[in-house]
Amino acid sequence: MNLQEFLEKSGEEESLLSVVATLAKGIKLISHNIHDCHQGEAGRGENVCGDTQMTLDIVANQLLEKELKENKYVHSYASEEEEIEVELNPEGKYCIAFDPLDGSSLINTNLAIGSIFGVYEGKDFVGQKGDNQLFSAYAVYGPRTTFAITFGKGVYIFSLNTIGDFVLTHDNPRVAEVSKIFSPGNLRAVTENPNYLKLVNEWMMDAKTLRYSGGMVPDVNQIFCKGSGIFSYPSHTKYPSGKLRLLYECAPFAFLMEAAGGSALDEKGKRILDIEVIDLHQRSSLFIGSKNEVEKSVEYLKS
Ligand code: FBP
């Protein structure tokens, strides 16, 4: 089944489906730009023609802005690349939060990167909670380009084929309560947080398998694809509230994870989807993945 057929059968509102189709188009364009080697070196100042090259984060942001502006249902967007919210269509009914290119520092080493989206009804984000999302999604740009989506029940992962169609390749994967895989982000925190050191040691002594790429999108994506796992990113001195952004990274992934039976908490044990947005760029710590592992980890951090 391709994405269009899936959306037609979903029973979701026409306007929301049209936004999903717009995001899918944006992802194809971003994927194309990533694979264009002229863009791959972007961010080095001027190109051979003397034009200032833009980093791919900015290119991705502009591509999404252009596509979303053409969709009358989109009121506004907030992006990790923009300081403030950008209004697109005053009559629109949805606002969309996104990280256009997460992990862009990994591009030149050719590791996987991604885009992340959260869609809300309304005209702004402040005062919203992740729980209010109507739809969230992410794209992975790896050896394959994939698009994982949820309307809140079940996760569906589509892979881009050679004729430009997204085809369903992971039909409602579930995330088991326990896991033998761990992805420990921000290991620097062990130098000042003995509880995190204890937790990572516990994972190692449990003979869990380490899978960590340095990009949150591929690292959490593998939890859906393998059906279990835990990804952690606690706070430490450099990032006292955690590094990852609530609106662009934590909330969309938490919405997907709960839809697949997993869990997402901050290091104090608060459910990510219950945290109110008070600032577009607010940060959070994050423990996400297999439910029992997430709960146990947070207990460790609190002890
Ligand atoms: P950006 O928001 O700056 O893109 O950073 C996000 C991210 O790249 C995540 O994908 C990843 O999990 C994390 O930073 C890794 O950060 P670090 O290597 O600094 O621990």
Side-chain angles (χ1 to χ4, degrees), residues 80 102-103 188 212 214-216 231 233 243-244 249:
E80 200 179 286
D102 183 80
R188 314 163 188 93
Y212 185 75
M216 181 199 185
F231 171 88
Y233 208 105
K243 176 184 182 186
L244 303 170
E249 290 158 330

Side-chain angles (χ1 to χ4, degrees), residues 57 80 99 101-106 185-188 212 214-219 231 233 238-239 243-245 249 283:
D57 319 51
E80 200 179 286
D99 182 349
L101 213 54
D102 183 80
S104 52
S105 64
L106 303 171
N186 200 18
L187 271 182
R188 314 163 188 93
Y212 185 75
M216 181 199 185
V217 178
D219 286 337
F231 171 88
Y233 208 105
K238 191 171 169 200
Y239 302 114
K243 176 184 182 186
L244 303 170
R245 320 282 171 134
E249 290 158 330
R283 297 174 192 260

Side-chain angles (χ1 to χ4, degrees), residues 234-253:
S235 64
H236 87 303
T237 316
K238 191 171 169 200
Y239 302 114
S241 309
K243 176 184 182 186
L244 303 170
R245 320 282 171 134
L246 177 65
L247 199 51
Y248 314 118
E249 290 158 330
C250 302
F253 267 117

Side-chain angles (χ1 to χ4, degrees), residues 53-70:
Q53 283 187 289
M54 290 178 293
T55 64
L56 272 167
D57 319 51
I58 306 297
V59 173
N61 198 72
Q62 288 185 352
L63 287 170
L64 289 171
E65 173 174 321
K66 183 171 170 294
E67 291 306 316
L68 291 171
K69 191 168 172 46
E70 283 170 21

Side-chain angles (χ1 to χ4, degrees), residues 17-187:
L17 295 178
S18 132
V19 170
V20 178
T22 299
L23 295 178
K25 184 173 173 208
I27 288 163
K28 286 185 202 173
L29 294 169
I30 294 171
S31 177
H32 178 80
N33 271 270
I34 291 168
H35 289 105
D36 178 343
C37 59
H38 300 298
Q39 293 286 7
E41 293 296 309
R44 288 183 160 189
E46 291 189 345
N47 65 14
V48 283
C49 310
D51 302 325
T52 301
Q53 283 187 289
M54 290 178 293
T55 64
L56 272 167
D57 319 51
I58 306 297
V59 173
N61 198 72
Q62 288 185 352
L63 287 170
L64 289 171
E65 173 174 321
K66 183 171 170 294
E67 291 306 316
L68 291 171
K69 191 168 172 46
E70 283 170 21
N71 188 316
K72 64 179 181 192
Y73 299 113
V74 179
H75 176 270
S76 51
Y77 78 86
S79 160
E80 200 179 286
E81 297 301 324
E82 307 270 2
E83 222 162 294
I84 56 171
E85 190 174 329
V86 179
E87 186 178 304
L88 297 174
N89 299 297
E91 305 304 322
K93 61 190 279 198
Y94 301 117
C95 51
I96 303 177
F98 58 79
D99 182 349
L101 213 54
D102 183 80
S104 52
S105 64
L106 303 171
I107 293 170
N108 287 336
T109 53
N110 207 16
L111 282 160
I113 51 178
S115 304
I116 313 168
F117 308 93
V119 178
Y120 299 78
E121 186 149 11
K123 298 190 189 293
D124 43 354
F125 299 92
V126 173
Q128 302 260 20
K129 288 177 180 172
D131 245 348
N132 298 351
Q133 289 169 106
L134 300 174
F135 172 84
S136 82
Y138 65 88
V140 183
Y141 311 105
R144 294 189 186 124
T145 294
T146 61
F147 184 32
I149 68 170
T150 188
F151 291 97
K153 277 200 190 103
V155 169
Y156 301 89
I157 307 181
F158 298 83
S159 302
L160 193 59
N161 67 14
T162 48
I163 56 166
D165 247 358
F166 277 112
V167 180
L168 184 63
T169 45
H170 295 73
D171 188 357
N172 197 12
R174 309 304 296 165
V175 174
E177 291 191 348
V178 291
S179 171
K180 278 288 187 190
I181 304 173
F182 71 119
S183 308
N186 200 18
L187 271 182

